[in-house]
Amino acid sequence: MISARLLDVAIEQFGSLGFEGASTRAIARASGTAMSSITYHFGGKEGLYVAAAEHIAAGIGERQAGPLAAARAAADGSREEAVAALLAVLDNFAQMMLRPESAPWARFIMREQQAPTEAFERIWGKAMQPIAETCVRLVGRVRADLGEREARATALLLFGQAMILRGGRASACKLLQVETLDEETGALLRDRIRANALSILSETPR
């Protein structure tokens, strides 16, 4: 079994240097793995890159599994249950964005957002799409006045609030006049995300 260490190092290298800039030799050396092992298990650099994407997807899926399962169950429940479930998924996602472990994932994913490859399809299909589609269902349950396209746009922008905590961290620190998004600042931001979401979800139907 290939160690998680190899894939973690690969994610860090690919995220920081890009596919072209990263070296499988450097990845092998940093992870204490023989080059021949990478070739044997992944077939080369391309295979390792896709495997790194799947490792990210597995990590996201594992951390979102609990709230997401509850959210799926609530999608056919009462409006209040759907609101609570959506807020729980959103907060859990925000917490993940605030934790240090998400930093190398974000660097990798942001490169893929700009120029998607097969790696993005793996991350989207195995981690991001299940979260997104569940939240679209919840938004549709809570805001019955919205059409399908509007519900999708609303779900996207609700999660954009959480994504900025990682993808726009430098700007967030500048705007909030802090050195880092510490626990106190993170709690403030999570509270504002919740308030914003409640405002959007409780908007008077047109």
Side-chain angles (χ1 to χ4, degrees):
M1 179 179 179
I2 295 298
S3 70
R5 171 65 180 162
L6 170 61
L7 293 173
D8 287 339
V9 170
I11 290 166
E12 181 66 50
Q13 293 282 319
F14 285 130
S16 298
L17 303 173
F19 179 80
E20 295 299 332
S23 160
T24 51
R25 189 172 300 281
I27 292 170
R29 183 170 57 252
S31 62
T33 303
M35 271 292 294
S36 58
S37 181
I38 292 177
T39 303
Y40 177 79
H41 288 283
F42 304 108
K45 190 175 184 180
E46 291 82 0
L48 179 60
Y49 188 74
V50 171
E54 292 188 334
H55 190 58
I56 292 172
I60 294 173
E62 178 183 342
R63 287 158 181 77
Q64 301 301 312
L68 197 57
R72 290 185 180 122
D76 296 319
S78 69
R79 184 181 184 281
E80 292 71 23
E81 290 171 333
V83 169
L86 183 50
L87 291 174
V89 173
L90 187 56
D91 187 60
N92 195 57
F93 192 83
Q95 290 184 64
M96 185 176 71
M97 293 294 97
L98 287 165
R99 286 195 288 266
E101 68 198 47
S102 65
W105 300 351
R107 285 191 289 269
F108 188 108
I109 292 172
M110 288 177 70
R111 285 181 178 276
E112 282 294 315
Q113 291 279 5
Q114 300 304 311
T117 68
E118 174 61 23
F120 178 75
E121 295 300 324
R122 302 294 180 93
I123 295 170
W124 171 255
K126 296 186 177 183
M128 298 169 71
Q129 186 175 27
I131 299 171
E133 293 294 347
T134 299
C135 289
V136 168
R137 285 185 63 199
L138 290 168
V139 169
R141 175 70 185 88
V142 175
R143 290 290 308 275
D145 59 305
L146 298 179
E148 170 74 12
R149 190 169 177 80
E150 289 175 308
R152 288 183 175 276
T154 300
L156 171 66
L157 295 175
L158 282 173
F159 272 84
Q161 298 178 96
M163 291 176 186
I164 198 70
L165 303 183
R166 176 53 65 190
R169 180 160 293 213
S171 295
C173 288
K174 287 289 188 184
L175 186 60
L176 294 169
Q177 300 178 326
V178 295
E179 292 295 323
T180 185
L181 299 186
D182 57 20
E183 187 173 344
E184 180 182 356
T185 306
L188 168 65
L189 291 166
R190 288 168 55 207
D191 180 70
R192 296 320 305 162
I193 288 173
R194 177 184 176 86
N196 290 346
L198 280 170
S199 179
I200 291 168
L201 296 173
S202 63
E203 185 174 320
T204 302
R206 294 192 305 274

